[in-house]
Amino acid sequence: MIILGIETSCDETSAAVLEKKENTLVLKAQNTATSLALHSTTGGIIPENAAREQMKYILPVIQKTLEHAQTTIQEIDAIAVTYGPGLIGSLLVGVETAKTIAMTMNKPIIPINHMVGHIYANFITEQEQQKNIVFPALALVVSGGHTDLLLMEKHGDFTLLGGTRDDAAGEAFDKIGRLLGFPYPAGPIIEEKAKKGNPKRFLFPRPLIGSGDYDFSFSGLKTAVLREVMKIKNLDEATTNDICAGVQHAITDVVVKKTLKAAKEYTVKSLLLSGGVAANQTLTERFQTECQEIGLPFFAPSRKLCTDNGAMIAAAAAFNDNPLPWNEITANPELYFD
Ligand code: KG4
Ligand code: ZN
């Protein structure tokens, strides 16, 4: 089965061709156009600007991806597209393009929840490595909009154990970065600066770390950093690096501790990390070490499959082959887990 995956829920315009052979998912080609340079000048994403850029990118990105995969739209078995959650204008670009291709080329169309897509990035076979993901699995999605912990009992079967009450982990990185003067997205910049910093100089709060539930909250962390920054007269490079290291340490502590608690409570057999923040090496290394100690197989996608991409959408469709008639598919910005 060959699937064309389309992802346009936020600022990326991404398409991928993925082939499912038995239980392996081979990525044939992927192209992602980004409007990040535009957003870095405005301190965040302006939805109207993002959608206008995506209108320009979507068809060339799909065309280039088909070419790189040495295939044609006729040879594609199904089209997978993100239909929510996300920005309405951005979602519409991908959804309406996918519907048009599906209608004109008579192809099945499989609508995919963006968050489910992130989790399925873990199922893509990379470097010819067989993935041995065993259910029940625990999935932690840490992205710009979500910090969600889900129990995955089998393909397509998710139970939300907890989620973000306010700012998501990625949003916390971005907002804290903004107050330190970094462009959007600040997560990768904070990670770089944290490498040179002392994570113990600033002891920032670990919100909800000991709460009995699996919810997350990072807006208090942002306020604590703001208070600290306002006290500092000379925000030199060393101090900035120490703040970055402290912030990264606080976020890592909370997500690792709560996730491993859930892993034990639900006696899961695999742990799947995903979402843009999963590109953070300190976080993945910490999970790796702690999972090894308790003998829990840990999976995280390669960096290029952590942030928004078409391959993860195609991967979700490969294991959840539930096509709908094109005229029953509508973009849903508020979509969550059913
Ligand atoms: O999953 P994603 O591409 O988009 C959403 O669905 O939200 O995630 C984007 C988020 C941004 O908040 C960005 O700052 C964060 O992922 N991010 C990182 C890193 N790379 C991206 N956060 C921390 N460390 C990183 N290396
Ligand atoms: Zn995402």
Side-chain angles (χ1 to χ4, degrees):
M1 184 183 192
I2 301 178
I3 303 172
L4 171 67
I6 299 174
E7 155 61 42
T8 64
S9 66
C10 193
D11 53 331
E12 318 284 20
T13 308
S14 185
V17 172
L18 192 92
E19 185 170 10
K20 186 180 185 207
K21 288 186 197 158
E22 292 173 9
N23 272 339
T24 64
L25 298 184
V26 181
L27 181 55
K28 297 278 184 196
Q30 172 163 278
N31 282 284
T32 304
T34 179
S35 50
L36 274 185
L38 187 77
H39 307 311
S40 66
T41 58
T42 51
I45 296 166
I46 296 178
E48 170 89 16
N49 292 353
R52 280 173 188 268
E53 288 298 293
Q54 286 166 314
M55 287 297 286
K56 287 191 243 164
Y57 297 143
I58 186 74
L59 291 177
V61 162
I62 292 174
Q63 191 179 34
K64 200 156 80 170
T65 305
L66 291 169
E67 274 168 28
H68 289 177
Q70 295 181 318
T71 189
T72 60
I73 200 77
Q74 285 81 3
E75 290 173 294
I76 296 289
D77 296 306
I79 301 159
V81 66
T82 304
Y83 74 112
L87 304 170
I88 183 63
S90 296
L91 287 167
L92 281 171
V93 174
V95 168
E96 295 307 313
T97 304
K99 283 161 70 173
T100 307
I101 300 172
M103 192 196 88
T104 53
M105 304 302 294
N106 199 21
K107 299 283 175 191
I109 176 164
I110 305 166
I112 298 294
N113 179 326
H114 179 77
M115 307 307 292
V116 171
H118 270 302
I119 296 167
Y120 273 93
N122 281 297
F123 289 83
I124 298 170
T125 317
E126 291 183 87
Q127 288 122 25
E128 301 303 315
Q129 243 179 345
Q130 273 288 347
K131 294 254 167 115
N132 194 20
I133 297 172
V134 181
F135 296 125
L138 184 67
L140 173 68
V141 190
V142 268
S143 71
H146 295 261
T147 311
D148 289 336
L149 200 49
L150 298 123
L151 183 65
M152 182 181 186
E153 307 231 34
K154 57 180 191 299
H155 284 298
D157 180 346
F158 296 96
T159 308
L160 186 66
L161 304 180
T164 184
R165 290 194 192 163
D166 40 53
D167 293 354
E171 197 175 356
F173 273 113
D174 295 334
K175 287 183 174 169
I176 291 168
R178 192 171 170 182
L179 67 91
L180 293 171
F182 306 153
Y184 174 88
I189 302 170
I190 292 185
E191 177 175 22
E192 271 319 295
K193 301 216 176 264
K195 284 182 187 154
K196 293 171 262 169
N198 170 10
K200 300 213 169 120
R201 175 167 161 202
F202 294 97
L203 209 64
F204 293 123
R206 270 81 173 139
L208 301 184
I209 196 162
S211 68
D213 56 24
Y214 292 116
D215 282 349
F216 297 91
S217 158
F218 292 108
S219 75
L221 173 63
K222 175 190 63 194
T223 313
V225 177
L226 176 65
R227 247 189 258 121
E228 206 58 57
V229 168
M230 281 165 61
K231 279 195 272 175
I232 299 166
K233 285 196 184 72
N234 175 24
L235 194 62
D236 58 19
E237 203 181 326
T239 307
T240 305
N241 292 344
D242 291 344
I243 292 175
C244 290
V247 166
Q248 184 174 267
H249 200 210
I251 293 176
T252 303
D253 270 356
V254 176
V255 295
V256 171
K257 179 152 188 227
K258 297 195 88 159
T259 304
L260 292 184
K261 183 169 176 265
K264 284 178 198 152
E265 184 179 336
Y266 291 92
T267 50
V268 295
K269 299 200 169 104
S270 312
L271 175 58
L272 313 176
L273 181 66
S274 64
V277 182
N280 187 290
Q281 222 179 328
T282 305
L283 180 65
T284 49
E285 282 171 4
R286 177 83 179 271
F287 266 122
Q288 212 131 34
T289 311
E290 299 217 9
C291 285
Q292 211 157 20
E293 279 168 17
I294 57 167
L296 177 64
F298 168 70
F299 299 87
S302 65
R303 257 180 118 94
K304 77 168 192 293
L305 295 176
C306 286
T307 45
D308 294 350
N309 64 83
M312 68 188 200
I313 303 305
F319 284 109
N320 300 277
D321 186 10
N322 305 316
L324 278 183
W326 65 265
N327 52 0
E328 285 179 24
I329 297 170
T330 43
N332 181 357
E334 309 296 336
L335 182 71
Y336 207 30
F337 288 97
D338 345 281

